[in-house]
Amino acid sequence: MKKFLMSIKVNVFIIVVASIVAGMAAHYFFQNKWLGFFFVALPLIALYMYQTYTKMADLDKKLKVKHKNKYR
């Protein structure tokens, strides 16, 4: 599942455009702009935050190097 979620490339521009389009479509079909926000923008924001957190955690694990000074 992690591999699948990381394969979807999400950035802030995609989130903004998708939320505007979903809000317009929801307003046209259901006369409620918030449906597009709740069902499209919030999951994309959550996915973006998950991807960012996972990338940073992997980078942090990679950069942590044990100190090898034997005199310390």
Side-chain angles (χ1 to χ4, degrees):
M1 187 69 171
K2 180 181 176 183
K3 191 174 185 180
F4 173 70
L5 289 176
M6 293 303 284
S7 68
I8 302 170
K9 302 296 181 201
V10 178
N11 58 21
V12 177
F13 179 72
I14 291 173
I15 294 171
V16 170
V17 170
S19 64
I20 290 171
V21 170
M24 290 170 52
H27 184 67
Y28 181 76
F29 289 113
F30 305 115
Q31 284 75 36
N32 188 350
K33 291 181 238 180
W34 291 103
L35 288 177
F37 177 73
F38 286 124
F39 291 112
V40 175
L42 286 181
L44 285 177
I45 292 169
L47 179 62
Y48 176 75
M49 289 172 58
Y50 171 76
Q51 286 179 348
T52 305
Y53 174 76
T54 306
K55 285 179 189 174
M56 294 303 284
D58 290 343
L59 183 64
D60 191 35
K61 282 183 186 176
K62 185 186 254 187
L63 291 179
K64 272 192 179 177
V65 177
K66 188 174 182 181
H67 188 64
K68 296 182 180 177
N69 187 354
K70 64 181 180 180
Y71 298 112
R72 191 167 195 203

